[in-house]
Amino acid sequence: MTAITPDLLAAHHITADEYQRILKILGGREPNLTELGIFSVMWSEHCSYKSSRIHLKKLPTHSPLVLQGPGENAGIIDIGDGWAIAFKIESHNHPSFIEPFQGAATGVGGILRDIFTMGARPIAVMDALRFGPIDDPKFGARNRRILEGVVSGISHYGNCFGVPTVGGECVFDASYSGNPLVNVFALGVFRHDEVFYGRATGIGNPVIYVGAKTGKDGVHGATMASAEFTEESKQKRPNVQVGDPFMEKLLLEACLEAMKTGAIVGIQDMGAAGLTCSTCEMGSRAETGIEIDLALVPQRETGMTPYEIMLSESQERMLLVAEKGREDEVYAVFKKWGLDAVQIGTVTDDGILRVKNHGEVVAEIPNRPLADEAPLYDRPHNTAPYRSVPLEGPAAIPANPSLGGAIQQLVSSFDLCSKRWIYQQYDYQVRTNTLQGPGHDAAIVRIKETGTSVAMALDGNGRYTMLDPREGVKLMVAECCRNLSTVGALPVAATNNLNYGNPERPEIMRQLVEGIEGMAEACRFFETPITGGNVSLYNETLGEPIHPTPVIGIVGLMKTAAPVSPTFVEAGRCLILVGGWGDTDVTRFGSTQYAKVVMGQVWGLPPALDMDYEKRVHAAIREMVNEGAVESAHDLSDGGLAVALAECSFGAAKVGAHVDLPADVQSELQLFHEGPSRVLVSTVAPGKVHEIAKRHGVSSPVIGKTQAARLTFRSGGETVVDADVSVLRQAWEDALPNMVEADLPVSV
């Protein structure tokens, strides 16, 4: 038996106190190496959320539409007529830094299994990506390699599997140079009577392994994802799994077909922690035990140890529990699809995870404390949240002699430029459900079986949350709901991915706590309960943390209809700013893209949010869209009014705008501030827009008209911008591909 030394515990990220808890759970005896490995992955931050669980309880999780909240593989909400959707977001950050292609690809595979293990057929994927700048003198070439690998991995897996990647977001910032973020959202559809759960019920029922064979890839992947990067850990490629989307497609079809036989009573994918996680969690949920023999596990390598088999995170595998006596029905389905399906154990009545190898017991651990009673830490957070920039900035915003040049500089910046280079690699029309795909405020997919469509949006803003973790998250939730409302959808439920640095640092833990509390307040106010999600901590390299980057994914429901145009359609239309001009000051202007890109510095606080007013704007714009009162609609966010007007001009019609700015406000502040609660619409029925806005207590000033080919802004009778739409659009479209293709020196 391997001696349990302090070095061995440290290698497994188990503290001395945690080891004493393990001894108590095991009745005083020392664990063997396999048992130590099992505790290590199940009690890792990645699997147990031991630093965040007490705070996650603050999130709202219930509503009349929520059929399944946190605790299962995916959340479920009712969409009417006996139908439901399952959705969730997960991260694959650390693997995507080490091996970008496979890290991102297996991130897609993992979230898809979370959806179809519930019984739902996946119909949409979205991604939220964060990279370091690809023009960085030191790390630019590496950042570009990661960008190219991640995008290729996502497109490869999604395209081969046959699920549309319908939208997402991509941001570049130096804080992500050593730690990119890859958050993947997936959504599936099914009937209420087709829902399955990950529970090992029925004493004596067979436990069946299905899917791909087990290899050594991904061993200790969950533990690796629960520590910050060091020079050594950055090179741990064996921790990264290898995916096969064609195998996953077969697994999907086989699982859904097997579910229809009625012979399956519980099913769960083998994700983080692999066979360990699926066995102990299924047993814990059902308050049963599971006994398996590893000699029966299909293996693609010879000589694998029990430790390696239990901790492998090989992809495209599922564990299911069948009704005793009906095993052959399950085997027949998987044989038809050419997949392994082997009974490796049974459900027992003792609550123990018992692992044998050729009949010899190699691990014996109670399920409940292993799966659901991991250490729970209330880590210190009684300090100011970490921030990397000052509160105070310049005394005033200097006048810019070329506001038109500033607009071009912004629309061609990494964060705001066209991401077509990314999403043109994705098949976003496969399955023919996509009504609105990438590049818009929200994606929309129709549910063919009903008259309902589902709108989806992902939002995150690490710049705002770095400046104020609590208010930044509230702004993020508000924007996500505004994006959905702008296409006419009612936001109904959410999933979250909380990406933060090292929680053992009080200033980072304070970011996380305030972020969760801000999200709880906003989601409760906007009536979008959290149905599940993911926490990804230790996102830092050599002591440098990422910006705190919570990402929210919100789904909205709407009647199936042609979506309102996000861009201007015709010249001569009335332009109205639903929500009003908004305001700012120098301190809050420091959070804008203008400050970041044009001025080259960030400071201060994020925009101020009035949640009550924001919610009224949501209701107003939904009514305008659904009543046909507007011809186009686009919300204001990064880059403010100037960038929104430019983006609205980039449609196929190349229709621009003439706008009169208030003369009593500095043009730089008016054009580029990022105050929330505003939607830009064009209309032939201004009276109807004003009537709806007034009824909701929302300002709706007319700011100008659409016109052919140019963007023209006047202030106090003077033209301050007169730009050619075609020139701006070309700069917007070319920025990312030009930089990706540029010659850069090899980085360290």
Side-chain angles (χ1 to χ4, degrees):
M1 181 173 173
T2 303
I4 306 299
T5 65
D7 287 346
L8 188 62
L9 292 178
H12 285 77
H13 298 274
I14 292 175
T15 68
D17 287 343
E18 289 171 351
Y19 185 61
Q20 292 304 310
R21 292 187 60 164
I22 291 171
L23 294 178
K24 187 175 181 180
I25 290 168
L26 296 179
R29 70 174 177 85
E30 284 199 339
N32 59 39
L33 183 61
T34 300
E35 291 171 326
L36 186 69
I38 288 171
F39 274 107
S40 172
V41 292
M42 289 307 299
W43 284 11
S44 68
E45 191 73 61
H46 187 72
C47 289
S48 73
Y49 297 171
K50 56 191 177 186
S51 296
S52 59
R53 286 207 320 271
I54 62 171
H55 302 290
L56 293 174
K57 293 178 181 178
K58 302 169 185 176
L59 295 169
T61 58
H62 300 286
S63 85
L65 295 182
V66 174
L67 303 180
Q68 174 64 54
E72 273 286 345
N73 292 291
I76 305 173
I77 66 164
D78 181 11
I79 62 171
D81 299 323
W83 288 85
I85 54 173
F87 62 98
K88 193 182 182 185
I89 191 169
E90 285 272 6
S91 64
H92 234 219
N93 302 334
H94 289 65
S96 297
F97 178 75
I98 295 173
E99 177 43 66
F101 181 92
Q102 290 295 349
T106 52
V108 175
I111 194 65
L112 289 172
R113 286 194 303 280
D114 280 341
I115 299 304
F116 70 78
T117 193
M118 303 295 293
R121 178 175 290 277
I123 62 169
V125 164
M126 302 180 78
D127 51 67
L129 309 176
R130 301 290 187 277
F131 303 106
I134 57 177
D135 61 349
D136 181 270
K138 185 175 183 182
F139 299 117
R142 185 183 71 187
N143 292 339
R144 181 171 63 181
R145 176 182 61 82
I146 293 171
L147 165 69
E148 292 175 327
V150 165
V151 173
S152 295
I154 291 171
S155 65
H156 168 72
Y157 209 101
N159 294 354
C160 295
F161 180 85
V163 63
T165 302
V166 296
E169 55 163 16
C170 181
V171 171
F172 296 83
D173 188 89
S175 81
Y176 307 111
S177 281
N179 203 126
L181 302 183
V182 178
N183 293 180
V184 186
F185 166 101
L187 180 143
V189 62
F190 50 180
R191 293 192 60 83
H192 290 190
D193 57 5
E194 295 173 332
V195 178
F196 278 80
Y197 295 101
R199 297 170 188 167
T201 57
I203 308 307
N205 277 339
V207 176
I208 300 175
Y209 172 117
V210 300
K213 290 178 170 58
T214 295
K216 294 183 180 181
D217 54 319
V219 172
H220 261 304
T223 309
M224 178 267 291
S226 304
E228 62 186 84
F229 281 124
T230 62
E231 286 296 348
E232 178 185 7
S233 67
K234 286 192 294 183
Q235 306 304 319
K236 289 189 176 180
R237 280 177 174 77
N239 286 142
V240 179
Q241 312 93 321
V242 177
D244 181 348
F246 299 107
M247 175 75 77
E248 180 124 329
K249 173 63 173 175
L250 298 176
L251 185 62
L252 161 73
E253 300 298 345
C255 286
L256 294 184
E257 185 174 330
M259 290 168 175
K260 286 181 167 60
T261 67
I264 296 177
V265 298
I267 183 169
Q268 178 157 323
D269 79 297
M270 296 188 209
L275 189 56
T276 290
C277 186
S278 54
T279 48
C280 72
E281 286 188 352
M282 289 184 76
S284 182
R285 290 191 192 109
E287 299 183 354
T288 59
I290 286 184
E291 181 175 303
I292 61 173
D293 194 318
L294 299 181
L296 303 174
V297 172
Q299 299 166 45
R300 68 168 184 260
E301 301 184 45
T302 59
M304 289 186 70
T305 66
Y307 180 98
E308 291 170 332
I309 297 171
M310 288 301 291
L311 271 61
S312 167
E313 294 183 10
S314 293
Q315 297 292 287
E316 293 85 42
R317 303 179 299 160
M318 307 281 272
L319 194 69
L320 57 87
V321 175
E323 187 178 327
K324 188 175 183 179
R326 301 186 65 183
E327 302 93 322
D328 288 345
E329 297 176 56
V330 176
Y331 298 149
V333 171
F334 283 88
K335 182 179 180 181
K336 166 188 169 183
W337 290 96
L339 297 174
D340 282 317
V342 180
Q343 180 176 348
I344 64 170
T346 56
V347 179
T348 63
D349 63 359
D350 59 6
I352 300 293
L353 171 61
R354 186 172 293 104
V355 182
K356 296 181 177 180
N357 190 34
H358 296 280
E360 178 187 353
V361 175
V362 294
E364 204 166 33
I365 305 172
N367 268 327
R368 175 68 70 177
L370 179 60
D372 296 316
E373 297 175 11
L376 188 62
Y377 296 127
D378 185 2
R379 296 198 185 275
H381 53 275
N382 57 341
T383 187
Y386 176 81
R387 63 183 287 152
S388 57
V389 299
L391 177 63
E392 298 300 325
I397 306 302
N400 191 320
S402 176
L403 291 175
I407 295 173
Q408 182 165 330
Q409 190 177 351
L410 281 167
V411 299
S412 60
S413 66
F414 284 136
D415 290 355
L416 300 180
C417 70
S418 170
K419 302 305 188 297
R420 181 180 296 276
W421 180 87
I422 294 175
Y423 66 73
Q424 70 183 1
Q425 301 182 48
Y426 305 152
D427 185 342
Y428 50 85
Q429 294 289 356
V430 64
R431 301 193 59 82
T432 68
N433 293 317
T434 307
L435 298 182
Q436 183 162 282
H440 301 298
D441 289 333
I444 307 172
V445 294
R446 60 177 175 168
I447 309 300
K448 290 177 180 174
E449 297 81 0
T450 71
T452 303
S453 288
V454 177
M456 298 158 278
L458 294 183
D459 273 292
N461 194 315
R463 192 173 70 256
Y464 287 177
T465 48
M466 180 268 293
L467 297 173
D468 189 322
R470 185 185 301 268
E471 293 303 312
V473 173
K474 289 160 68 174
L475 282 158
M476 181 184 78
V477 175
E479 182 182 350
C480 203
C481 290
R482 190 164 67 250
N483 285 335
L484 296 173
S485 298
T486 298
V487 300
L490 176 67
V492 293
T495 180
N496 62 9
N497 211 133
L498 307 179
N499 307 280
Y500 289 82
N502 184 346
E504 297 168 46
R505 297 170 58 181
E507 68 276 18
I508 301 296
M509 193 64 206
R510 179 68 175 272
Q511 290 178 335
L512 175 62
V513 172
E514 292 206 358
I516 291 172
E517 291 177 353
M519 184 174 292
E521 183 182 351
C523 285
R524 190 170 286 111
F525 187 84
F526 293 113
E527 301 174 81
T528 54
I530 301 290
T531 62
N534 175 254
V535 179
S536 175
L537 304 181
Y538 295 96
N539 287 291
E540 53 185 78
T541 298
L542 305 179
E544 289 297 321
I546 63 165
H547 284 341
T549 312
V551 172
I552 191 91
I554 303 183
V555 298
L557 301 181
M558 58 190 290
K559 292 292 184 183
T560 298
V564 66
S565 173
T567 58
F568 300 144
V569 178
E570 296 281 353
R573 302 303 196 238
C574 181
L575 284 178
I576 297 177
L577 195 51
V578 177
W581 288 101
D583 56 23
T584 191
D585 56 32
V586 173
T587 299
R588 296 192 184 276
F589 194 79
S591 65
T592 62
Q593 285 285 353
Y594 183 93
K596 175 183 176 181
V597 174
V598 178
M599 299 181 67
Q601 59 179 319
V602 174
W603 72 89
L605 296 169
L609 174 68
D610 179 337
M611 290 200 297
D612 179 70
Y613 189 72
E614 175 81 33
K615 195 172 186 179
R616 283 185 275 133
V617 169
H618 297 174
I621 192 61
R622 278 197 306 271
E623 185 175 343
M624 292 172 194
V625 169
N626 291 321
E627 291 294 321
V630 298
E631 192 172 69
S632 72
H634 181 31
D635 88 306
L636 272 63
S637 55
D638 273 8
L641 176 63
V643 169
L645 283 160
E647 290 174 343
C648 287
S649 302
F650 294 160
K654 297 183 180 178
V655 176
H658 177 106
V659 172
D660 291 308
L661 301 174
D664 59 345
V665 178
Q666 184 181 348
S667 294
E668 287 79 6
L669 296 179
Q670 194 65 76
L671 283 172
F672 302 109
H673 86 80
E674 296 176 3
S677 316
R678 299 184 295 161
V679 180
L680 178 66
V681 303
S682 65
T683 180
V684 294
K688 191 170 185 179
V689 170
H690 293 316
E691 184 273 323
I692 294 172
K694 183 177 180 180
R695 185 153 29 84
H696 289 279
V698 169
S699 176
S700 59
V702 173
I703 65 170
K705 286 189 175 183
T706 57
Q707 65 179 9
R710 303 197 72 80
L711 274 182
T712 307
F713 304 147
R714 290 175 63 82
S715 177
E718 178 186 350
T719 299
V720 294
V721 173
D722 184 26
D724 186 322
V725 166
S726 294
V727 173
L728 290 176
R729 177 172 176 166
Q730 200 67 49
W732 174 73
E733 288 182 337
D734 290 348
L736 188 55
N738 284 349
M739 184 51 64
V740 170
E741 295 164 9
D743 290 327
L744 292 176
V746 176
S747 62
V748 295

